[in-house]
Amino acid sequence: MSKKEYFIEEESLGVKKVSRRDMLKTAGVGGVGILIGASGIGSMLSITEGKASSAKDVVSFYGKHQSGITTKPQNHVYFAALDVTTSRKNDLITLFKEWTHASALMSEGKPIGELTSNEFLPPKDTGEAEGLSASNLTITFGVGPSLFVKDNQDRFGLKLKQPKELVDLPAFSLDALEEEWTGGDLCIQACADDMQVAFHAVRNLIRIARGKAVLRWAQPGFQRTKQADAKEGTPRNLFGFKDGTVNPDVKSEKQMNEHVWVQPGDGPNWLQNGSYLVVRRIQMFIEVWDRTNLKEQENTFGRYRDTGAPFGQKNEFDKLDIHHKQPNGEDTIPVDSHVRLSHGDGSQQILRRGYSYSNGMDLKTGSFDAGLLFLSFQRSPSKQFIPIQKRLSSMDKLNEYISHRGSALFACLPGTKNGGFIGETLFT
Amino acid sequence: MKLLKVTGSLLLSSSLLFGCANSDENSAKETVKETKNIKSDSLSGVTDEYRKYAIGEIEEFVKATEAFTTAVKNGDVDNAKALYATSRVHYERAEPIAEVFGDLDPKIDAREGDVPEAEWGGYHRIEKGLWVENTTTGYEQYAEQLMKDVNLLRAKVDTVEVTPDLLITGAVDLLNEVSTSKVTGEEDRYSHTDLFDFAANVEGADKIFQLLNPALKEKNKDLSTEIQTRFDEVFSLLNKHKIDGGYKIYTDLSEAEVKELSQAIDALAEPLSQIGIVTEAL
């Protein structure tokens, strides 16, 4: 292991740099020093254990809102949609209590259970995150329309609590939805700066759910890592363009209340301080895109690929000027460009938190199966996502290069305090 | 006569279990490991009982294999096909014990590709002849050898020491067998009679659970109830696929039905994997 790697690890553990430097000094430089340092790190690890909440890369699980929504996007996502198999409401309550407990522990970088002394039992925690930092893990839970009513059945006596907004999204033009990537009674969005940490979280939560809920579909996703992009600019999607430039400001409580968090009077009280999550699994035909000339690519987005600036402007965050005309009288930003249609009149804003995905090869075509796991949070799908997507699906030039293969809508529950559980407002 | 013997032994095993729980309390300060040994000893009634069950199944397996191999040697393709799946269930039920003999298991039960072609014999080799070539011709030698191996298995089984560990591990292993090879339809890839093996594995696991259940109830009644519920669910799913006293062929199941079975096994195996708590002091 190189020295550089050590420093990264050390920082993520929240270990004071001074002691580390002192140790290196004492130990000397070079291979031997590093070896001695290695055992030193081990002992520091045990000292810092139990104090994980003060570490830099821990996002608190508890709070008024669930984490993983306004949290700065981590490097990776593991998203899972589940079908509930139990028919008892009490099982659901038990499940969410156990999930809350386990999620709070994992968010602190801790295993979900003590090691048992009985070797005839499997370990409680699956173990692959042993010794890893919390990596800013967030776990966000949501409930889908089918949890309330499925096949006309009021499955858990929750029908009266179903928000008007929580219904299947309408069919949009050009939708090519596949059952295997669509819907779900529940969802888990686990985001972390380490894929193994994110996967560990979902794996253990699914294990806890055995007998009560099963996986319906799952999709991991990635962004450029923060290590790779020291400036932490807007990430680029697999078409090479910056994606996520126009997002409401997560640091502004006012904007979040206006665009993301469900407010009093919006619907049933149980969802207050929660949010709606739209998931779209969008396949991107990257081979086709790659043989499209730059001019055409930029016309498709209405932005310059290099800077990310909208047409007619210089910088990425410059304001979109949809009235700007070319000398020949044509719109500078084409009417069918992605940026223009997304923008509309500017009144609808959604908090996008998407990730790219690549699932190996599309067996039918031999092309990459790659694309965008679109994730957006909003206060009202009918007033925000749906009108935007209607515009996009009807005439977005980008539609030539993409296909919506999966879709789901979830109500992300409000947060909870230590001692409470996610879903408490809905189930009790 | 056999039945009476079983009852007596069951009673004996429960009294041993309960009797021991008290002595554990008295020596509460003993280390975990010691406690475990004491407790393991107290499960000996259960292990004896399981031994009888497994040997019983192997004896049935000997008889069934006799009929099957005879049909093969007599060139009776239809009869051999009819006997194939039902013979194997006895072996699949007793798999935790049968598999102890690492040399015999592949001879009896190896699938194509598990062993070098030249060494491949046993049930699945004959299965291929019956279903792919629709013949027994050329397979008489395999039938002959299979019978020898099964007889040897019967003789060796008497020497197996059945430990609580073997039961605890075996119950989950049986379901893992289902998850990794039956669910995928790879076990009986020519006859597609996988559901017979599937059900037999579950029955074998259920037997172990039933034997350990009195002790488990003492430890954790909720866990006992949950495992029972999950077994019921798996059996009711399997019942849906029963036909003419046997099971549908695996290729007749829809993808959704296969997934449903697979997830039901996961839902059962997870709580069943906690059954090791019977080794702990009360």
Side-chain angles (χ1 to χ4, degrees):
Chain A
M1 192 188 271
S2 75
K3 229 194 268 184
K4 198 178 162 198
E5 280 174 305
Y6 252 178
F7 276 110
I8 293 163
E9 193 176 330
E10 163 200 313
E11 273 185 19
S12 65
L13 286 167
V15 176
K16 278 182 187 156
K17 270 192 174 167
V18 181
S19 59
R20 172 70 189 154
R21 281 201 200 99
D22 285 353
M23 202 167 65
L24 277 181
K25 247 188 263 168
T26 323
V29 251
V32 179
I34 288 163
L35 274 177
I36 296 170
S39 59
I41 283 282
S43 57
M44 285 201 290
L45 221 172
S46 54
I47 295 166
T48 50
E49 256 176 10
K51 288 197 216 160
S53 57
S54 63
K56 275 187 208 160
D57 68 350
V58 171
V59 180
S60 175
F61 179 73
Y62 295 113
K64 182 176 167 189
H65 310 290
Q66 286 198 75
S67 60
I69 299 173
T70 56
T71 309
K72 186 167 134 190
Q74 299 92 324
N75 298 340
H76 303 277
V77 67
Y78 198 97
F79 185 88
L82 291 85
D83 282 333
V84 171
T85 51
T86 182
S87 52
R88 296 188 315 187
K89 192 175 158 194
N90 269 345
D91 282 350
L92 281 181
I93 293 172
T94 307
L95 176 62
F96 272 93
K97 280 182 177 167
E98 289 179 10
W99 272 357
T100 301
H101 177 71
S103 300
L105 286 168
M106 290 190 286
S107 296
E108 289 183 24
K110 293 176 183 163
I112 61 166
E114 300 303 314
L115 260 186
T116 160
S117 56
N118 188 339
E119 61 189 8
F120 290 122
L121 296 180
K124 277 218 171 95
D125 189 287
T126 57
E128 73 272 32
E130 183 77 40
L132 303 183
S133 81
S135 306
N136 287 312
L137 173 70
T138 57
I139 301 164
T140 316
F141 297 100
V143 295
S146 51
L147 184 75
F148 295 82
V149 176
K150 192 176 187 179
D151 303 328
N152 288 321
Q153 295 287 310
D154 180 6
R155 305 169 70 189
F156 303 101
L158 295 171
K159 190 179 173 183
L160 292 174
K161 289 188 165 185
Q162 180 168 9
K164 284 196 185 69
E165 292 271 355
L166 189 62
V167 288
D168 286 339
L169 293 169
F172 299 102
S173 319
L174 301 175
D175 271 2
L177 304 184
E178 290 165 353
E179 181 70 11
E180 60 187 292
W181 301 110
T182 299
D185 298 336
L186 305 172
C187 77
I188 303 171
Q189 174 199 260
C191 298
D193 288 331
D194 184 277
M195 193 57 194
Q196 189 148 321
V197 168
F199 180 73
H200 168 263
V202 173
R203 175 184 178 185
N204 280 272
L205 295 171
I206 295 290
R207 185 179 175 205
I208 287 170
R210 297 234 199 283
K212 301 184 182 81
V214 295
L215 263 184
R216 179 182 175 87
W217 59 272
Q219 179 63 60
F222 60 90
Q223 288 188 350
R224 89 283 182 266
T225 64
K226 285 161 203 146
Q227 294 94 299
D229 183 9
K231 288 183 195 153
E232 298 196 14
T234 308
R236 289 180 187 272
N237 61 26
L238 296 182
F239 285 156
F241 279 66
K242 296 190 175 200
D243 198 350
T245 301
V246 183
N247 244 351
D249 180 7
V250 294
K251 293 199 179 79
S252 159
E253 201 182 330
K254 185 171 166 282
Q255 285 191 38
M256 289 302 100
N257 285 338
E258 192 180 338
H259 303 297
V260 176
W261 305 125
V262 173
Q263 299 296 309
D266 282 357
N269 287 338
W270 65 264
L271 192 55
Q272 206 176 304
N273 296 319
S275 187
Y276 290 94
L277 166 62
V278 171
V279 189
R280 305 283 285 184
R281 186 178 183 277
I282 305 170
Q283 186 176 5
M284 293 161 65
F285 302 118
I286 55 178
E287 290 84 354
V288 177
W289 181 259
D290 291 347
R291 53 185 181 247
T292 302
N293 70 52
L294 178 62
K295 184 75 203 141
E296 193 68 2
Q297 289 188 0
E298 291 186 331
N299 279 338
T300 301
F301 275 99
R303 286 183 184 275
Y304 302 109
R305 184 172 107 147
D306 183 20
T307 59
F311 279 0
Q313 310 288 345
K314 284 215 169 67
N315 301 308
E316 180 190 352
F317 294 100
D318 288 347
K319 255 196 121 175
L320 209 64
D321 183 1
I322 54 172
H323 304 296
H324 196 278
K325 303 276 183 205
Q326 304 269 57
N328 64 7
E330 278 180 23
D331 282 321
T332 304
I333 300 179
V335 289
D336 58 354
S337 65
H338 186 69
V339 69
R340 182 164 186 151
L341 289 163
S342 306
H343 181 265
D345 63 3
S347 65
Q348 297 120 354
Q349 286 203 46
I350 54 176
L351 177 60
R352 282 173 297 155
R353 219 175 172 283
Y355 289 84
S356 297
Y357 75 81
S358 69
N359 275 22
M361 194 176 77
D362 182 327
L363 292 176
K364 278 183 223 144
T365 61
S367 307
F368 281 109
D369 178 8
L372 174 71
L373 182 67
F374 172 94
L375 298 162
S376 82
F377 292 92
Q378 50 264 299
R379 180 177 162 190
S380 159
S382 69
K383 290 182 189 140
Q384 293 167 276
F385 175 78
I386 293 173
I388 294 173
Q389 184 54 28
K390 273 193 177 150
R391 289 197 297 271
L392 289 172
S393 64
S394 65
M395 60 182 294
D396 188 0
K397 196 166 162 51
L398 193 58
N399 291 337
E400 290 174 31
Y401 307 98
I402 62 173
S403 182
H404 287 240
R405 299 285 185 193
S407 177
L409 177 68
F410 299 98
C412 287
L413 299 147
T416 190
K417 287 188 284 228
N418 196 346
F421 64 97
I422 298 290
E424 201 168 357
T425 54
L426 172 61
F427 297 119
T428 56
Chain B
M1 188 59 205
K2 204 173 173 185
L3 194 70
L4 276 176
K5 233 167 133 187
V6 169
T7 317
S9 176
L10 266 176
L11 279 173
L12 181 65
S13 71
S14 346
S15 62
L16 268 172
L17 272 172
F18 302 145
C20 195
N22 293 330
S23 72
D24 277 355
E25 270 169 37
N26 296 337
S27 52
K29 281 183 184 167
E30 282 177 355
T31 67
V32 176
K33 196 141 190 147
E34 278 167 331
T35 314
K36 226 168 13 191
N37 287 338
I38 291 168
K39 205 58 202 172
S40 299
D41 293 344
S42 75
L43 291 169
S44 64
V46 172
T47 51
D48 288 351
E49 195 54 41
Y50 183 72
R51 200 166 178 279
K52 276 190 212 116
Y53 165 79
I55 290 176
E57 287 296 332
I58 298 294
E59 279 174 352
E60 290 300 315
F61 182 54
V62 172
K63 284 186 213 157
T65 304
E66 244 161 36
F68 174 68
T69 53
T70 304
V72 173
K73 283 187 281 186
N74 290 343
D76 188 346
V77 174
D78 289 344
N79 198 26
K81 278 183 175 177
L83 292 171
Y84 171 78
T86 48
S87 309
R88 296 177 45 75
V89 297
H90 301 291
Y91 187 78
E92 294 288 337
R93 280 186 200 132
E95 205 144 5
I97 282 211
E99 277 187 346
V100 167
F101 307 103
D103 53 336
L104 278 178
D105 182 53
K107 285 186 175 174
I108 295 167
D109 200 29
R111 296 167 306 183
E112 188 170 13
D114 287 352
V115 292
E117 172 70 19
E119 291 166 30
W120 186 39
Y123 263 97
H124 294 299
R125 176 120 216 180
I126 300 170
E127 177 200 5
K128 191 177 182 185
L130 288 172
W131 271 275
V132 177
E133 296 172 37
N134 201 31
T135 186
T136 56
T137 310
Y139 289 85
E140 297 84 356
Q141 42 157 343
Y142 295 114
E144 190 76 38
Q145 185 60 42
L146 174 61
M147 196 62 240
K148 277 186 200 158
D149 292 329
V150 170
N151 279 326
L152 188 56
L153 172 70
R154 171 63 192 92
K156 281 191 171 185
V157 155
D158 284 328
T159 66
V160 179
E161 191 200 348
V162 179
T163 59
D165 186 13
L166 187 135
L167 290 194
I168 289 159
T169 312
V172 175
D173 275 354
L174 279 161
L175 298 185
N176 291 348
E177 277 280 320
V178 175
S179 294
T180 53
S181 62
K182 274 71 174 191
V183 154
T184 55
E186 288 167 300
E187 179 73 29
D188 302 295
R189 60 188 73 161
Y190 316 110
S191 62
H192 306 301
T193 54
D194 304 77
L195 276 182
F196 287 81
D197 298 55
F198 187 126
N201 282 159
V202 177
E203 285 156 7
D206 185 47
K207 179 68 189 179
I208 296 174
F209 167 63
Q210 298 306 339
L211 286 172
L212 291 172
N213 200 19
L216 181 62
K217 274 185 189 160
E218 292 291 312
K219 291 277 164 26
N220 188 335
K221 209 165 184 316
D222 289 348
L223 180 61
S224 159
T225 310
E226 188 183 354
I227 295 172
Q228 186 63 63
T229 308
R230 304 281 170 244
F231 265 117
D232 293 346
E233 282 166 4
V234 170
F235 283 126
S236 84
L237 281 182
L238 283 169
N239 282 340
K240 286 205 303 194
H241 304 303
K242 271 195 175 154
I243 179 171
D244 303 333
Y247 289 96
K248 279 184 204 163
I249 62 168
Y250 208 66
T251 42
D252 280 355
L253 300 187
S254 70
E255 279 181 22
E257 286 168 332
V258 169
K259 191 165 96 179
E260 187 180 44
L261 281 165
S262 169
Q263 291 181 323
I265 290 293
D266 283 344
L268 163 63
E270 191 64 38
L272 189 66
S273 71
Q274 298 300 312
I275 205 167
I277 62 167
V278 296
T279 58
E280 291 169 1
L282 272 175

